[in-house]
Amino acid sequence: MSKIDSKRSHARTVLAATGSVALVVARSLVLPAALVVLWHFASTRRWVNPIILPPPEVVWQTLQDEWANGDLALHTKASLVRLGLGFLVGAGSGLLVGVGMGLSRKVEDLLSVPFQVVNLVPTLGWLPVLILLIGLNEKLAAALIGQSIFIAVALNTYRGIRQVPLAQMEIARVYKLSFLQTLRKVVFPAAIPQIFTGLRAGLANGWIALVVVELLVCSEGLGYLMSQGRSLFQLDLVLVGILVVGTIGWSLDAVLVRLERYFRRWQPKESRLA
Amino acid sequence: MSSKHKSSLTPSRIALRSVIPVLVVGFWVLATTRGWIDPKIWASPSKVADAWRQLTLNGFLWKAIEGSLLRETGGFLLGAVVGFLVGNLLGLSRIADWLATPLLGFLKQISVFAWLPLISLFFGIGEWSKAVFIGISAFFPLVTSTYAGLHSVQRNHAELARLLRLSPWQRYRKILLPAALPAILGGIQLGLVLTWMATVGADFFMSAGYSIGGFLIQGASSLKFGLVIIGVALLGIIGWGLDFLTRQVGGYLLRNRPKTLQA
């Protein structure tokens, strides 16, 4: 009897949960829907010039056309490949430098000045330097995206490792764990939430840098698509670009938020504020 | 970490810290004077010093700093004030929170620079469109931090407000706002970093008049390393200065709070 009861209450909570998910989704669509309706009337009733603001159905049509003729997929793929490459370079080197600076005072001292200099200047400020060093090509894109990811990952990895309680490191020493064992069993479990914060911030930075680079130098990619739309005065294309950039950025962030929460699940709630 | 490891800079640590800067500067001096690299692109330190002197004498440097700083402050204030108001609306009104927070969460994920083509078509490439572009970069951190700050108010504080029968305005002024202040200051700090980057971007993409970004673009397109390095240095110094100022103001506003580890 009690088993059935617990099953029933479980079913009820599941039902309530799915119900509330649907409610949340519905709730969050009210305002966007209202805005789209307003947008529709604003351009069909000519409150604003439809050249300046094409109606939503035109933008939707453009989205479908661009998807059907394969252009959108091509540009999206180019952007994602670029971001992935930059992420590999930036997050990889950021992890190495962060771990090095976190574990060893000597490494920290050695790298502190160059690191602070790179950190101090906004990523875009490095762009002209990189243009002079590398030239206007695909490597420039990887370098700029990589740099913007590197800073966030290195900084947070370093901080995360420095937050490992000394007592835990002493226990590792008492148990005579090897260097690699200490890393795997003590340092990383404690530092991983902060490292994930860094990866998330890095990915956001990289996504910003990607659009910049594509607006400036690339001949394919979502940023290029938008700058093309701008120069041809096709605002529907620009809006499609914004929509896709937002959707991808949002999805990437959503995945990393979930991962971050997973790795932070043992922490008290107030430190989960993202 | 702990007080045992309180870092003091011994001479050997200072030496270690200066290894890479000395190597880099040494390489720069040698490579430019010995002609290892093209001297037309890679100006030597003395040439950079010359360029600096020239820029300060003819006043271009000050005009560029003034132009960029004005743009930065104008855009930041615009975005920060609107962001603070929206953050309050979302943080205080449950209905507004339900309706608008998901949409803002989506809009936040759109890279600022993706707005550039749209803004320049809407507002042209004048100062207004720059202010809007820079403002967007300040808007989102302020919305997020104000919202999070208002939601971080502890339950016993809210109960205290009810006990004391504070009016809504008193409750806001005496309980909610002070509780949200640290978060808001964090948002301002992040906003300044992002707007400073956007200011450079605005100079790049909608260049007009004197600006530090203009230096950089000019230096890169005419292959003049001297201009570029001066521009980069200015960006770093001013960005640091803005951050320093915010920290000082924040420290002053929070002077009566108990100290935490992070402070």
Side-chain angles (χ1 to χ4, degrees), chain A residues 124-125 128, chain B residues 200 204 212-221 227-228 231-232 235:
Chain A
L124 258 188
Chain B
V200 184
F204 275 10
I212 300 174
F215 270 14
L216 289 169
I217 265 310
Q218 203 190 330
S221 58
L227 271 182
V228 171
V232 168
L235 285 183

Side-chain angles (χ1 to χ4, degrees), chain A residues 55-81:
Chain A
E57 53 270 27
V58 171
V59 175
W60 182 244
Q61 189 59 46
T62 310
L63 179 69
Q64 283 176 327
D65 290 350
E66 290 289 315
W67 183 256
N69 68 20
D71 272 8
L72 191 60
L74 183 86
H75 290 301
T76 307
K77 195 182 145 212
S79 287
L80 284 177
V81 166

